[in-house]
Amino acid sequence: MFIIIGIMLTGMLVGYLLRNKRLLWIHKIITLLIWTLLFLLGIDVGGNEAIIKGLHTLGLEAIIITLAAVTGSVLYAWGLWYLLYIRNRRKETEA
């Protein structure tokens, strides 16, 4: 755990020291590393028999969680939009 925190703090320090530099190539490296991590995660998951055997159950749970998250986000976004725009327009027209 301390190694992970140390690596993160080292990255933050390097980022702080290089904050005034134009590192346009860094985004390509980050994207490549993320793709590599996802690929390696896929290999690890594919090699785990317990996950593969329970994939239909995990898939159903993932769909339910995704639908619930999207529904909640849409409802809260609509409620916030209503509070910020529709209600303020009504107050402006009444005044």
Side-chain angles (χ1 to χ4, degrees), residues 41-52:
L41 178 65
I43 290 174
D44 191 43
V45 168
N48 189 332
E49 284 187 40
I51 292 177
I52 296 300

Side-chain angles (χ1 to χ4, degrees), residues 36-56 58-59 62:
T36 304
L37 285 171
L38 288 172
F39 179 73
L40 293 174
L41 178 65
I43 290 174
D44 191 43
V45 168
N48 189 332
E49 284 187 40
I51 292 177
I52 296 300
K53 287 181 181 177
L55 197 56
H56 64 282
L58 292 173

Side-chain angles (χ1 to χ4, degrees), residues 2 5-6 8-11 14 17 27 30 33 38 45-46 49 52-54 57 59-61 64 66 70 80 94:
F2 290 117
I5 293 172
M8 186 176 68
L9 291 175
T10 303
V14 170
L17 294 174
H27 297 292
I30 291 171
L33 289 174
L38 288 172
V45 168
E49 284 187 40
I52 296 300
K53 287 181 181 177
T57 305
L60 180 62
E61 289 177 10
I64 292 170
T66 301
V70 169
L80 182 62
E94 291 175 0

Side-chain angles (χ1 to χ4, degrees), residues 61-73:
E61 289 177 10
I63 289 172
I64 292 170
I65 291 170
T66 301
L67 290 175
V70 169
T71 303
S73 295

